């Protein structure tokens, strides 16, 4: 088996174990499962995003500004049933933005994106190409949980659209990974089957977009592992071509 794919393994969904001493410090959430797996105190890693390269720490400043502007938003009906606004998290100076659909139950409880079962699988998928949460920024199309995890409606996605746009503007990612049909539709306006769209690298305001299946779909359908793996290799190639650091241990190049 391909060693990188072996890193994902069967979706046992425990903590992702990366080699000790390879984790950056000072990035990402202050606490959480990914961080807890870290060993020694590793060297800080340089930011990779365009904005970060051009403007030093301004991505950090402006992502905080977007959060401030959002406040306790009540622009759509999802505000009535949410427990938390799940704004997004990660390294806003990184080169890669991961976009999901919307918070589920665990995310709504914790206020953090992709921390439930699909999120732990996402960690493994990222790790398979030497990426971890701490060198990505992770956000969703809608910031509040749709009741019973239904797909966000068009008017909800529209109401929340400015937030993701402002996050993209603040971060200036070198590449975007769109997870699932909702992210694909929101960023690219595509309504075709995801299986068709993933054949190409797309473009969102000049930023290359790789489209792949949502990790929740992989949890249901094991046969999607192979195409997702192919898409992740595409992402890895784009990042390498753009000189964006992927950083963590598992990947051998
Ligand atoms: N699924 C998503 O699309 N986003 C999350 O944050 C969690 C699960
Ligand atoms: Fe506001 Fe977006 Fe939440 Fe709707 S989903 S209430 S637009 S933050
Ligand atoms: N669902 C799958 O499709 N594969 C697994 O390994 C576990 C759950």
């Amino acid at each position: 088996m391909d060693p990188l794919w072996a890193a994902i393994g069967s979706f046992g969904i425990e903590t992702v174990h990366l080699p000790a001493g390879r984790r950056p410090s000072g990035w990402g959430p202050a606490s959480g499962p990914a961080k807890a797996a870290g060993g020694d105190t590793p060297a800080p890693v340089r930011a990779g995003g365009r904005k970060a390269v051009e403007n030093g720490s301004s991505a950090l400043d402006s992502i905080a500004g977007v959060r401030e502007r959002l406040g306790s938003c009540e622009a759509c009906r999802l505000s009535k049933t949410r427990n938390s606004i799940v704004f997004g998290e990660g390294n806003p100076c990184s080169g890669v933005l991961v976009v999901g659909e919307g918070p589920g139950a665990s995310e709504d409880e914790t206020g953090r994106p992709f921390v439930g079962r699909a999120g732990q699988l996402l960690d493994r998928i990222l790790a398979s190409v030497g990426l971890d949460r701490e060198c990505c920024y992770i956000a969703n199309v809608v910031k509040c949980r749709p009741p019973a995890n239904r797909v966000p409606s068009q008017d909800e996605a529209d109401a929340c659209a400015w937030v993701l746009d402002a996050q993209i503007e603040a971060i200036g990612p070198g590449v975007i990974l769109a997870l699932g049909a909702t992210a694909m539709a929101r960023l690219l306006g595509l309504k075709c089957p995801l299986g068709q769209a993933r054949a190409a690298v797309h473009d969102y305001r000049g930023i290359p977009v790789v489209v792949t299946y949502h990790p929740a779909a992989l949890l249901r359908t094991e046969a999607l592992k192979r195409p997702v793996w192919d898409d992740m290799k595409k992402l890895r190639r784009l990042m390498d071509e753009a000189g964006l650091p992927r950083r963590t241990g598992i990947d051998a190049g």
Side-chain angles (χ1 to χ4, degrees):
M1 182 188 281
D2 190 312
L4 300 184
W5 182 245
I8 295 180
S10 69
F11 311 153
I13 320 294
E14 318 93 35
T15 311
V16 181
H17 296 288
L18 293 171
R22 303 296 290 270
R23 286 183 176 277
S25 58
W27 293 113
S31 63
K35 206 132 206 163
D40 320 333
T41 308
V45 173
R46 296 304 309 161
R50 277 204 315 265
K51 272 275 163 57
V53 171
E54 286 162 15
N55 302 323
S57 65
S58 78
L60 258 176
D61 298 340
S62 52
I63 200 80
V66 179
R67 181 65 191 89
E68 221 170 283
R69 263 199 293 162
L70 184 60
S72 50
C73 178
E74 296 183 357
C76 83
R77 68 181 75 75
L78 299 182
S79 63
K80 303 202 189 318
T81 46
R82 73 171 178 235
N83 289 303
S84 323
I85 291 182
V86 181
F87 178 68
E89 71 177 26
N91 176 1
C93 304
S94 93
V96 55
L97 171 69
V98 179
V99 180
E101 177 174 286
S106 314
E107 292 78 20
D108 180 58
E109 270 165 40
T110 58
R112 301 180 56 208
F114 281 103
V115 293
R117 201 154 168 266
Q120 295 190 20
L121 179 55
L122 176 62
D123 289 345
R124 285 173 178 245
I125 291 167
L126 295 173
S128 74
V129 289
L131 270 162
D132 72 32
R133 295 174 75 94
E134 291 155 346
C135 66
C136 304
Y137 195 85
I138 303 180
N140 286 301
V141 170
V142 293
K143 313 306 186 194
C144 304
R145 182 191 184 200
N149 299 340
R150 63 165 171 76
V151 176
S153 67
Q154 187 64 52
D155 64 317
E156 291 158 357
D158 289 347
C160 217
W162 75 267
V163 190
L164 184 60
D165 284 341
Q167 286 173 308
I168 294 171
E169 177 64 25
I171 294 163
V175 57
I176 297 174
L177 177 65
L179 300 174
T182 301
M184 173 180 87
R186 163 65 185 86
L187 293 171
L188 305 171
L190 292 175
K191 308 281 182 186
C192 65
L194 197 142
Q196 261 169 43
R198 50 173 289 279
V201 174
H202 299 268
D203 177 289
Y204 181 81
R205 302 186 179 180
I207 303 163
V209 179
V210 173
V211 173
T212 197
Y213 296 102
H214 194 288
L218 265 82
L219 289 172
R220 294 187 298 266
T221 309
E222 179 145 21
L224 298 179
K225 274 172 150 187
R226 169 54 62 178
V228 168
W229 171 228
D230 290 339
D231 296 337
M232 292 307 292
K233 286 191 287 192
K234 200 186 309 173
L235 179 76
R236 179 175 63 183
R237 178 175 55 73
L238 285 169
M239 292 185 73
D240 289 350
E241 282 171 7
L244 300 171
R246 292 180 285 105
R247 301 177 334 173
T248 58
I250 290 172
D251 174 51

